[in-house]
């Protein structure tokens, strides 16, 4: 019996807006929980100790075990809010 797809949403706590740098799990790929799904970059809201706001890069990992069916974003997209 095939289960219905689970739509994943990004957590509200991420530093929006963020830019999708690279998608690591392509449609059809089987992913493990905590496996990297995509890499994103963002500009911190607050400057560092030197008063600079340098772009940072982070990864978003799968919160569940499963198979990637489709993406609603592409590399280079800017995500302005959780979706």
């Amino acid at each position: 019996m095939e289960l219905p797809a689970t739509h994943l949403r990004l957590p509200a706590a991420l530093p929006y807006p963020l830019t999708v740098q690279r998608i690591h799990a392509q449609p059809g790929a089987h992913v493990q929980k905590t496996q990297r799904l995509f890499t994103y970059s963002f500009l911190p809201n607050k400057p560092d100790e030197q008063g600079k706001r340098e772009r940072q890069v982070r990864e978003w990992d799968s919160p569940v075990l499963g198979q990637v069916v489709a993406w609603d974003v592409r590399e280079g997209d800017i995500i302005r809010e959780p979706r």
Side-chain angles (χ1 to χ4, degrees):
M1 178 177 170
E2 191 170 318
L3 297 174
T6 300
H7 296 270
L8 299 181
R9 295 192 179 273
L10 296 175
L14 290 182
Y16 298 96
L18 53 89
T19 302
V20 178
Q21 297 294 317
R22 181 170 177 214
I23 294 177
H24 298 279
Q26 299 303 317
H30 292 275
V31 295
Q32 300 295 316
K33 185 175 181 179
T34 72
Q35 183 174 335
R36 181 183 312 138
L37 293 178
F38 69 87
T39 302
Y40 63 92
S41 66
F42 64 96
L43 196 59
N45 290 331
K46 296 181 181 180
D48 63 14
E49 297 82 30
Q50 289 81 35
K52 298 179 183 177
R53 291 179 51 206
E54 294 187 26
R55 187 160 287 279
Q56 297 183 21
V57 177
R58 299 285 186 274
E59 298 166 347
W60 191 57
D61 300 332
S62 178
V64 296
L65 169 75
Q67 181 179 13
V68 177
V69 175
W71 283 102
D72 193 23
V73 295
R74 295 180 302 207
E75 291 178 359
D77 281 358
I78 297 173
I79 302 172
R80 300 194 184 284
E81 59 189 36
R83 62 174 196 170

